[in-house]
Amino acid sequence: IIQNEIDVTNVNEQLNDILTSNQIITISVAGSTTNGRMLTEEELNEVNDTCLYLDELQKVQKELTSFVESRMEQWSPSVCALVGPALAAQLLASTGGLAELARVPSCNLQLLGKNRSTASSRGGMATQSRTQHAGFLMDCDLVQSCPNYLKMRAVKAVAGKLALAVRCDHINVESGRSRTADVGRKFKEELRTKFGKWEEPDKAQVVKALPKSLLAGRNLNLCCGRGNLSSRGVEGSVSIILTSFYST
């Protein structure tokens, strides 16, 4: 769109269709504060050819992702039942397969797909707005159903159950057993119940009565009955209490 245009404001209308306002401002400021030159015809053709190649590459990636999503319920039904086929396809594509995904611990599962902080992202050119310390699992419907202050806690819980679900599917594939989504459905219901309890208000504090006194219901006649065991016990406890009181 920009081509060899020096003044970016002349193509703002075209840029508004594909970029956000922050991204347009970043491009405008970068163009006005840097010294550049016009691209030659050969350089401009190379840039345009590269852009077309990237567009074709993105189309192929979308086709492969849609194909994997359509087959995910057959390959790993428990994972699909827990996080959905689209998210399961992204996880498998990022690791390379079901066996590789089964080797990833839960602490690393929640970081798969994390966006690294770069100069372009800090300048407003990030294409995705995702939490810095979370990846694909932040887009899970279970996590999105939680309030913002519980989302990171929910991501950790989903990652723990996801690690177990992936290993169940992998074991079923290796052993030749039938693949079912029962494990994924069970984990999903457990997480829903747990998240619901997290959102419940705290119980009111119960005011408890003071404990029964040590001297209550005992014979306090310490002068008589020197051989009485109960009076000896009371006399000893009273002397200990008085000694500690006066010592402080």
Side-chain angles (χ1 to χ4, degrees):
I1 294 175
I2 298 177
Q3 300 293 320
N4 269 331
E5 185 66 45
I6 298 177
D7 191 2
V8 183
T9 57
N10 295 331
V11 291
N12 276 344
E13 294 182 0
Q14 293 86 344
L15 292 176
N16 285 327
D17 297 334
I18 59 175
L19 299 178
T20 62
S21 59
N22 292 333
Q23 294 173 344
I24 294 174
I25 292 173
T26 303
I27 294 175
S28 301
V29 172
S32 60
T33 57
T34 56
N35 295 325
R37 63 175 178 84
M38 301 285 290
L39 295 176
T40 62
E41 186 177 358
E42 294 181 357
E43 292 174 344
L44 186 60
N45 291 332
E46 289 180 1
V47 172
N48 292 330
D49 292 340
T50 304
C51 292
L52 293 176
Y53 174 76
L54 292 177
D55 290 338
E56 292 294 331
L57 186 62
Q58 189 175 10
K59 291 180 181 179
V60 174
Q61 184 180 7
K62 289 182 179 179
E63 292 178 358
L64 291 175
T65 303
S66 61
F67 173 77
V68 173
E69 289 179 5
S70 63
R71 302 294 191 275
M72 278 304 300
E73 294 185 357
Q74 301 177 2
W75 293 338
S76 57
S78 294
V79 178
C80 292
L82 182 59
V83 297
L87 192 56
Q90 290 178 338
L91 292 171
L92 261 71
S94 62
T95 55
L98 186 61
E100 291 77 8
L101 184 61
R103 298 190 186 98
V104 180
S106 61
C107 59
N108 293 337
L109 281 177
Q110 59 186 353
L111 299 178
L112 290 178
K114 183 185 72 171
N115 291 332
R116 294 184 178 180
S117 179
T118 59
S120 60
S121 63
R122 289 190 295 269
M125 297 298 294
T127 57
Q128 296 177 343
S129 58
R130 189 175 289 136
T131 308
Q132 184 177 3
H133 298 289
F136 296 130
L137 292 183
M138 185 58 72
D139 300 329
C140 179
D141 56 348
L142 288 171
V143 178
Q144 292 299 320
S145 63
C146 297
N148 292 329
Y149 69 95
L150 289 176
K151 282 186 178 180
M152 287 304 301
R153 187 179 175 187
V155 167
K156 293 180 181 180
V158 173
K161 295 297 184 181
L162 178 62
L164 298 176
V166 171
R167 289 162 188 170
C168 289
D169 287 337
H170 178 60
I171 290 174
N172 290 335
V173 172
E174 292 294 328
S175 61
R177 291 180 292 186
S178 60
R179 311 173 193 177
T180 60
D182 297 337
V183 176
R185 296 192 191 100
K186 178 183 176 182
F187 289 162
K188 192 169 186 177
E189 291 299 325
E190 291 178 357
L191 290 174
R192 282 178 178 172
T193 304
K194 181 184 292 187
F195 296 165
K197 291 182 179 179
W198 287 353
E199 298 182 22
E200 292 179 357
D202 296 335
K203 296 181 179 180
Q205 187 176 3
V206 179
V207 180
K208 296 182 179 180
L210 294 175
K212 189 177 180 181
S213 175
L214 183 64
L215 304 180
R218 293 194 177 185
N219 185 12
L220 299 182
N221 188 6
L222 304 179
C223 299
C224 60
R226 293 173 57 89
N228 193 353
L229 294 179
S230 60
S231 62
R232 278 187 189 177
V234 173
E235 183 179 4
S237 60
V238 171
S239 62
I240 292 173
I241 294 173
L242 293 176
T243 303
S244 61
F245 176 79
Y246 285 110
S247 62
T248 55

Short mmCIF file of all heavy atoms in Angstrom, two decimals, residues 100-139:
data_model
loop_
_atom_site.label_atom_id
_atom_site.label_comp_id
_atom_site.label_asym_id
_atom_site.label_seq_id
_atom_site.Cartn_x
_atom_site.Cartn_y
_atom_site.Cartn_z
N GLU A 100 5.42 -35.81 20.92
CA GLU A 100 6.23 -34.69 21.42
C GLU A 100 5.44 -33.86 22.43
O GLU A 100 6.01 -33.37 23.42
CB GLU A 100 6.68 -33.80 20.26
CG GLU A 100 7.70 -34.43 19.35
CD GLU A 100 7.11 -35.45 18.38
OE1 GLU A 100 5.85 -35.54 18.34
OE2 GLU A 100 7.87 -36.16 17.71
N LEU A 101 4.14 -33.69 22.20
CA LEU A 101 3.32 -32.92 23.14
C LEU A 101 3.19 -33.65 24.47
O LEU A 101 3.10 -33.02 25.53
CB LEU A 101 1.94 -32.67 22.54
CG LEU A 101 0.98 -31.79 23.34
CD1 LEU A 101 1.55 -30.39 23.53
CD2 LEU A 101 -0.37 -31.71 22.64
N ALA A 102 3.18 -34.99 24.45
CA ALA A 102 3.06 -35.76 25.69
C ALA A 102 4.31 -35.63 26.56
O ALA A 102 4.24 -35.86 27.77
CB ALA A 102 2.80 -37.23 25.37
N ARG A 103 5.44 -35.26 25.98
CA ARG A 103 6.68 -35.12 26.75
C ARG A 103 6.81 -33.74 27.39
O ARG A 103 7.70 -33.54 28.22
CB ARG A 103 7.89 -35.36 25.84
CG ARG A 103 7.97 -36.75 25.23
CD ARG A 103 9.31 -36.98 24.55
NE ARG A 103 9.34 -38.26 23.85
CZ ARG A 103 9.13 -38.40 22.54
NH1 ARG A 103 8.89 -37.32 21.81
NH2 ARG A 103 9.16 -39.58 21.97
N VAL A 104 5.96 -32.81 27.03
CA VAL A 104 6.04 -31.45 27.57
C VAL A 104 5.40 -31.42 28.95
O VAL A 104 4.25 -31.83 29.11
CB VAL A 104 5.35 -30.45 26.63
CG1 VAL A 104 5.44 -29.04 27.20
CG2 VAL A 104 5.98 -30.51 25.25
N PRO A 105 6.08 -30.95 29.98
CA PRO A 105 5.46 -30.85 31.31
C PRO A 105 4.41 -29.75 31.36
O PRO A 105 4.34 -28.87 30.49
CB PRO A 105 6.65 -30.54 32.24
CG PRO A 105 7.66 -29.91 31.34
CD PRO A 105 7.49 -30.52 29.98
N SER A 106 3.58 -29.81 32.38
CA SER A 106 2.47 -28.86 32.48
C SER A 106 2.95 -27.43 32.64
O SER A 106 2.30 -26.49 32.17
CB SER A 106 1.57 -29.25 33.65
OG SER A 106 2.29 -29.21 34.87
N CYS A 107 4.10 -27.23 33.29
CA CYS A 107 4.60 -25.87 33.48
C CYS A 107 5.00 -25.22 32.16
O CYS A 107 4.97 -23.99 32.04
CB CYS A 107 5.77 -25.87 34.45
SG CYS A 107 7.17 -26.90 33.93
N ASN A 108 5.36 -26.03 31.17
CA ASN A 108 5.71 -25.50 29.85
C ASN A 108 4.53 -25.47 28.90
O ASN A 108 4.56 -24.74 27.90
CB ASN A 108 6.84 -26.31 29.22
CG ASN A 108 8.15 -26.16 29.98
OD1 ASN A 108 8.36 -25.18 30.69
ND2 ASN A 108 9.03 -27.14 29.85
N LEU A 109 3.49 -26.26 29.17
CA LEU A 109 2.31 -26.24 28.30
C LEU A 109 1.63 -24.88 28.32
O LEU A 109 1.11 -24.42 27.31
CB LEU A 109 1.33 -27.33 28.74
CG LEU A 109 1.62 -28.76 28.32
CD1 LEU A 109 0.59 -29.71 28.90
CD2 LEU A 109 1.65 -28.88 26.80
N GLN A 110 1.61 -24.25 29.48
CA GLN A 110 0.93 -22.95 29.57
C GLN A 110 1.70 -21.84 28.87
O GLN A 110 1.16 -20.74 28.69
CB GLN A 110 0.74 -22.57 31.03
CG GLN A 110 2.01 -22.48 31.84
CD GLN A 110 1.75 -22.24 33.30
OE1 GLN A 110 0.62 -22.03 33.71
NE2 GLN A 110 2.79 -22.27 34.10
N LEU A 111 2.95 -22.11 28.46
CA LEU A 111 3.76 -21.10 27.78
C LEU A 111 3.86 -21.34 26.28
O LEU A 111 4.48 -20.53 25.58
CB LEU A 111 5.17 -21.07 28.37
CG LEU A 111 5.26 -20.71 29.86
CD1 LEU A 111 6.71 -20.77 30.32
CD2 LEU A 111 4.68 -19.34 30.13
N LEU A 112 3.28 -22.43 25.77
CA LEU A 112 3.31 -22.68 24.33
C LEU A 112 2.52 -21.60 23.59
O LEU A 112 1.36 -21.35 23.91
CB LEU A 112 2.74 -24.06 24.01
CG LEU A 112 3.57 -25.28 24.44
CD1 LEU A 112 2.85 -26.56 24.09
CD2 LEU A 112 4.94 -25.24 23.77
N GLY A 113 3.15 -20.99 22.60
CA GLY A 113 2.50 -19.92 21.87
C GLY A 113 2.64 -18.56 22.50
O GLY A 113 1.96 -17.61 22.09
N LYS A 114 3.53 -18.43 23.48
CA LYS A 114 3.71 -17.13 24.15
C LYS A 114 4.38 -16.15 23.20
O LYS A 114 5.31 -16.49 22.49
CB LYS A 114 4.56 -17.31 25.41
CG LYS A 114 4.75 -16.04 26.21
CD LYS A 114 5.70 -16.25 27.37
CE LYS A 114 7.12 -16.39 26.89
NZ LYS A 114 8.10 -16.39 27.99
N ASN A 115 3.88 -14.92 23.22
CA ASN A 115 4.46 -13.86 22.39
C ASN A 115 5.66 -13.25 23.09
O ASN A 115 5.55 -12.82 24.24
CB ASN A 115 3.42 -12.77 22.11
CG ASN A 115 2.31 -13.26 21.21
OD1 ASN A 115 2.51 -14.15 20.40
ND2 ASN A 115 1.13 -12.68 21.35
N ARG A 116 6.77 -13.22 22.41
CA ARG A 116 7.95 -12.60 22.98
C ARG A 116 7.86 -11.08 22.82
O ARG A 116 7.39 -10.57 21.81
CB ARG A 116 9.22 -13.11 22.30
CG ARG A 116 9.48 -14.59 22.56
CD ARG A 116 10.80 -15.01 21.94
NE ARG A 116 11.10 -16.41 22.23
CZ ARG A 116 12.18 -17.04 21.82
NH1 ARG A 116 13.08 -16.39 21.08
NH2 ARG A 116 12.38 -18.30 22.12
N SER A 117 8.34 -10.39 23.81
CA SER A 117 8.32 -8.94 23.78
C SER A 117 9.46 -8.44 22.91
O SER A 117 10.64 -8.65 23.22
CB SER A 117 8.46 -8.37 25.20
OG SER A 117 8.47 -6.97 25.19
N THR A 118 9.13 -7.81 21.78
CA THR A 118 10.11 -7.29 20.85
C THR A 118 9.92 -5.79 20.70
O THR A 118 8.99 -5.19 21.25
CB THR A 118 10.00 -7.97 19.48
OG1 THR A 118 8.67 -7.74 18.98
CG2 THR A 118 10.23 -9.47 19.60
N ALA A 119 10.80 -5.18 19.93
CA ALA A 119 10.70 -3.75 19.71
C ALA A 119 9.43 -3.39 18.95
O ALA A 119 8.78 -2.37 19.22
CB ALA A 119 11.93 -3.25 18.93
N SER A 120 9.01 -4.26 18.01
CA SER A 120 7.79 -3.98 17.25
C SER A 120 6.55 -4.11 18.12
O SER A 120 5.61 -3.32 18.00
CB SER A 120 7.70 -4.93 16.06
OG SER A 120 7.68 -6.28 16.50
N SER A 121 6.53 -5.11 19.02
CA SER A 121 5.37 -5.28 19.88
C SER A 121 5.26 -4.15 20.89
O SER A 121 4.18 -3.69 21.21
CB SER A 121 5.45 -6.63 20.61
OG SER A 121 6.58 -6.68 21.46
N ARG A 122 6.42 -3.69 21.40
CA ARG A 122 6.39 -2.56 22.33
C ARG A 122 6.00 -1.27 21.63
O ARG A 122 5.48 -0.35 22.26
CB ARG A 122 7.75 -2.41 23.01
CG ARG A 122 8.07 -3.50 24.01
CD ARG A 122 9.30 -3.14 24.82
NE ARG A 122 10.49 -3.09 23.99
CZ ARG A 122 11.29 -4.13 23.77
NH1 ARG A 122 11.02 -5.30 24.33
NH2 ARG A 122 12.36 -4.00 23.00
N GLY A 123 6.24 -1.20 20.33
CA GLY A 123 5.88 -0.01 19.58
C GLY A 123 4.48 -0.02 19.04
O GLY A 123 4.10 0.86 18.29
N GLY A 124 3.69 -1.03 19.42
CA GLY A 124 2.30 -1.09 18.99
C GLY A 124 2.07 -1.88 17.73
O GLY A 124 0.98 -1.83 17.15
N MET A 125 3.07 -2.65 17.24
CA MET A 125 2.95 -3.40 16.01
C MET A 125 2.65 -4.87 16.24
O MET A 125 2.77 -5.68 15.32
CB MET A 125 4.23 -3.27 15.19
CG MET A 125 4.55 -1.87 14.75
SD MET A 125 3.28 -1.18 13.68
CE MET A 125 3.45 -2.24 12.25
N ALA A 126 2.28 -5.25 17.44
CA ALA A 126 1.96 -6.65 17.73
C ALA A 126 0.68 -7.04 17.02
O ALA A 126 -0.30 -6.29 17.00
CB ALA A 126 1.82 -6.87 19.23
N THR A 127 0.68 -8.22 16.41
CA THR A 127 -0.51 -8.69 15.69
C THR A 127 -1.50 -9.39 16.60
O THR A 127 -2.65 -9.54 16.24
CB THR A 127 -0.08 -9.66 14.57
OG1 THR A 127 0.66 -10.75 15.14
CG2 THR A 127 0.80 -8.95 13.55
N GLN A 128 -1.06 -9.83 17.77
CA GLN A 128 -1.94 -10.51 18.71
C GLN A 128 -1.75 -9.91 20.08
O GLN A 128 -0.63 -9.62 20.49
CB GLN A 128 -1.66 -12.02 18.77
CG GLN A 128 -1.94 -12.74 17.45
CD GLN A 128 -1.57 -14.20 17.54
OE1 GLN A 128 -0.84 -14.63 18.42
NE2 GLN A 128 -2.08 -14.98 16.60
N SER A 129 -2.86 -9.72 20.76
CA SER A 129 -2.80 -9.19 22.13
C SER A 129 -3.00 -10.35 23.10
O SER A 129 -4.11 -10.81 23.32
CB SER A 129 -3.90 -8.14 22.34
OG SER A 129 -5.17 -8.68 22.08
N ARG A 130 -1.91 -10.87 23.64
CA ARG A 130 -1.97 -12.01 24.54
C ARG A 130 -1.12 -11.70 25.76
O ARG A 130 -0.16 -10.94 25.70
CB ARG A 130 -1.46 -13.27 23.84
CG ARG A 130 -1.68 -14.55 24.63
CD ARG A 130 -1.25 -15.77 23.84
NE ARG A 130 -2.15 -16.03 22.75
CZ ARG A 130 -1.77 -16.35 21.52
NH1 ARG A 130 -0.49 -16.41 21.22
NH2 ARG A 130 -2.65 -16.58 20.57
N THR A 131 -1.50 -12.27 26.87
CA THR A 131 -0.77 -12.04 28.11
C THR A 131 0.67 -12.50 27.95
O THR A 131 0.96 -13.51 27.30
CB THR A 131 -1.45 -12.79 29.26
OG1 THR A 131 -2.84 -12.44 29.28
CG2 THR A 131 -0.83 -12.42 30.58
N GLN A 132 1.60 -11.78 28.58
CA GLN A 132 3.02 -12.04 28.36
C GLN A 132 3.42 -13.43 28.85
O GLN A 132 4.22 -14.10 28.22
CB GLN A 132 3.84 -10.97 29.07
CG GLN A 132 5.34 -11.10 28.83
CD GLN A 132 6.12 -9.99 29.48
OE1 GLN A 132 5.54 -9.15 30.15
NE2 GLN A 132 7.42 -9.99 29.29
N HIS A 133 2.88 -13.90 29.97
CA HIS A 133 3.30 -15.17 30.56
C HIS A 133 2.29 -16.28 30.29
O HIS A 133 2.16 -17.20 31.09
CB HIS A 133 3.50 -15.00 32.06
CG HIS A 133 4.58 -14.02 32.40
ND1 HIS A 133 5.92 -14.27 32.19
CD2 HIS A 133 4.52 -12.77 32.91
CE1 HIS A 133 6.64 -13.23 32.57
NE2 HIS A 133 5.82 -12.31 33.01
N ALA A 134 1.55 -16.21 29.20
CA ALA A 134 0.60 -17.25 28.83
C ALA A 134 0.57 -17.37 27.32
O ALA A 134 0.87 -16.40 26.60
CB ALA A 134 -0.79 -16.94 29.38
N GLY A 135 0.22 -18.56 26.83
CA GLY A 135 0.21 -18.81 25.40
C GLY A 135 -1.16 -19.15 24.87
O GLY A 135 -2.14 -18.44 25.12
N PHE A 136 -1.23 -20.28 24.15
CA PHE A 136 -2.49 -20.68 23.53
C PHE A 136 -3.60 -20.94 24.55
O PHE A 136 -4.77 -20.71 24.26
CB PHE A 136 -2.27 -21.95 22.68
CG PHE A 136 -1.35 -21.75 21.52
CD1 PHE A 136 -0.30 -22.62 21.29
CD2 PHE A 136 -1.52 -20.69 20.65
CE1 PHE A 136 0.56 -22.45 20.22
CE2 PHE A 136 -0.66 -20.50 19.57
CZ PHE A 136 0.38 -21.38 19.36
N LEU A 137 -3.24 -21.43 25.72
CA LEU A 137 -4.26 -21.80 26.71
C LEU A 137 -5.05 -20.61 27.22
O LEU A 137 -6.12 -20.79 27.79
CB LEU A 137 -3.61 -22.54 27.89
CG LEU A 137 -3.03 -23.92 27.58
CD1 LEU A 137 -2.49 -24.56 28.84
CD2 LEU A 137 -4.09 -24.81 26.95
N MET A 138 -4.54 -19.40 27.03
CA MET A 138 -5.29 -18.23 27.45
C MET A 138 -6.57 -18.06 26.63
O MET A 138 -7.53 -17.45 27.08
CB MET A 138 -4.42 -16.98 27.33
CG MET A 138 -5.06 -15.70 27.84
SD MET A 138 -5.56 -15.79 29.59
CE MET A 138 -3.95 -15.74 30.38
N ASP A 139 -6.60 -18.64 25.41
CA ASP A 139 -7.78 -18.56 24.55
C ASP A 139 -8.76 -19.69 24.81
O ASP A 139 -9.79 -19.78 24.12
CB ASP A 139 -7.36 -18.59 23.08
CG ASP A 139 -6.46 -17.42 22.73
OD1 ASP A 139 -6.61 -16.35 23.35
OD2 ASP A 139 -5.60 -17.57 21.83
#
